[in-house]
Structures are given as C-alpha cells and as structure tokens.
Amino acid sequence: MGAVRAELWTADGVRIEARYEPYAGPGAGEQAAGAEGDPGAIVLAHGFTGALDRPALRRAATAFTAYAAVVTFSFRGHGRSGGRSTVGDREVLDLAAAVTWARSFGHRRVTTVGFSMGGSVVLRHGALHRAEHGTGHTVSTLDSVMHRGRTVARRADRGGTQGVGDSQGGAYADAVVAVSAAARWYYRGTAPMRRLHWAIQHPVGRLVSRYGLRTRVHHRDWDPVPLSPVAAAPLIAPVPLLVVHGDQDPFFPVDHPLALAEAADPESSELWLVPGFGHAENSADPALLDRIGDWAATRLRAPAARPHHGSRDNRTR
C-alpha cells in the first residue's frame, strides 16, 4: 500500500487533513501480519505556522519512514485543515484524531513526535489520554468534548466516510517525543516569542498570521487556561518520554527543557540537549531525525507493559 491522504474529523467537529505513509525500512515488503510484523507508527505534530505539506515536515516524515509508518497532519487553522488555531489548547483533539487513525491501519503501538507548539501538544495529549482507561486527567473544559463521539476519516482515494475508532479507545500514545517545546505558557523572554504573542493576540497580528503566515488564529483567549506542558510531563509516566532541545534555540532557552525533565518521572524519561541545534523541524538535521527515529522505533518494538528506564545521571547529552 502506498501513501493515503484523508480528512479526519475531530471530536469537536473540526476537519483535519492527514497523510499516511507506510514503513519503508528493512523488510518493508515482507511484513508479517500481527504484532511481530508491525513496525508501529509515528505521528508527527508540527509547529505553529507549519502544515502537512511544508518542506520541513515532509523531510522529517521521510526520515521517519525508515523506522515506522508515519502519519502527518495539519493542525486546525493550518494548511488545508478547517477551524482556527488555539495555539496548543484544542489541538490535542487534532492529535487524538491522528493517533486513532494511525491505529486504524493495524498499528498496535504509536509514538507521537511534536515540534515546538506540537511538542507542547504531545505532552498534553500524553497526559490526557492514557492506555489503561483511554481517558485522561480532567483539567480543562475541552476534556468533556475530547471524551465524546467517534473520530471519522474520509479517505480521498476511496471516497465515502470511514469510522476509525472511538477516541477513548485508541487515541493514546505508547511513547512521546517533545522537540523544542515550551515548558510554560505566556513566555515572552525572547524576541521571537514577543513577536509570536503579537501575532496571536493583536487583531493586526492575526491578520498578518492569516495572510502572511497562512495560519488562522482564533480571536478568543483561553478560558480556562489549559494544562501547561510542565504540569503534563509527570502525568505521562510510565509511558516513555523523550525531551529534545537545542542549546541554540532562539525561542525557548534551556531552562524550558530542564524544567520539563525535572518535572518528568526520571524512571521513564530522557533529556537530550543537542549542541548547535536551533528550533523545531526547520532546524532538525538528518542526523538528529535519525536519532529520534531510532529512539521511537526501539520503544515501538518494546513490550507494551515495560517502560523505558533511565537515570538523571545520563539523561542530558
């Protein structure tokens, strides 16, 4: 089977464009049915102003197909998806729809990999959706929406509408990777973040976002404020968590990944501080993408009940 494009419908009724790409690594044409032949899937969550067809995300997706099947999608308000961006709040619903869709292809294990805003989303998603009961900690008003209804996909190559599973049962991640993610909301300590806040909070800024950055931002403020990434981090355990950050990140200095690592369970988390790395998918070089893909593949092949173990002495690289 080749690549498949689809329209997914989130639990709150937003249409999301998505693309599935099969595993292309060793033995790709000889996969056996069942768990032993399943390479698992990686679901990619892009950064603010990114989209499914942007070159940086396509580059990451191509790199990760050497390790697993890959699902990419455009968050609400981005690309050809509907709705408006809430900059990390209701985007958890978009990711949940994509993860559920990835499992509809028969993949029993899924790793989520998020960049920048997407990194914050995968952290919150990992806290809100748990494998043992399919729901999460009730921390915001969107959770009542998140735990209702079925995710629906329209496959462009087949026509018609296909149900791909209840969002309670298949929306969880088996491993989580947050790249260049913020630890806390409302950070304005760098010039790029001050510009970003202007672009999402000021009416003129939202016009610039819409027509200059092709990103449609919702005009309403958060109410209530959603669970922060640093508060979500400890709730992910025992699911393996990898935090990746560059020491040259122009948006979020290294106190952000250090805070995430400090909050996370040391028995199931790792921190990679990457020398020379800038920010998110646009700065991720092939070597870093391969390292992340290998980490994800190892967890996808691991027994489901066994969390990855580490120590604070070897988590910073």
Side-chain angles (χ1 to χ4, degrees), residues 19 24 39 42 51 72 91 109 117 140 163 180 188 190 210 230 261 300-301:
R19 175 184 169 102
I42 296 173
T72 49
E91 282 73 13
R109 294 176 64 76
M117 181 187 76
S140 76
S180 305
R188 294 179 173 85
T190 59
R210 183 181 185 93
V230 73
L300 288 170
R301 275 52 157 193

Side-chain angles (χ1 to χ4, degrees), residues 153-222:
R154 182 182 298 277
R155 290 197 179 180
D157 62 332
R158 297 183 185 178
T161 300
Q162 178 187 5
V164 296
D166 190 283
S167 62
Q168 287 187 323
Y172 63 90
D174 298 286
V176 177
V177 183
V179 185
S180 305
R184 53 193 182 275
W185 302 135
Y186 303 112
Y187 176 73
R188 294 179 173 85
T190 59
M193 285 306 297
R194 290 190 288 274
R195 290 193 294 269
L196 176 62
H197 277 88
W198 175 81
I200 62 179
Q201 294 182 325
H202 194 282
V204 175
R206 289 193 292 272
L207 285 175
V208 171
S209 294
R210 183 181 185 93
Y211 296 105
L213 302 176
R214 292 179 291 172
T215 301
R216 306 173 304 281
V217 181
H218 207 291
H219 66 280
R220 293 186 183 138
D221 292 334
W222 289 335

Side-chain angles (χ1 to χ4, degrees), residues 286-303:
L288 179 58
L289 293 173
D290 283 341
R291 285 183 67 196
I292 294 170
D294 183 68
W295 186 96
T298 300
R299 277 74 197 169
L300 288 170
R301 275 52 157 193

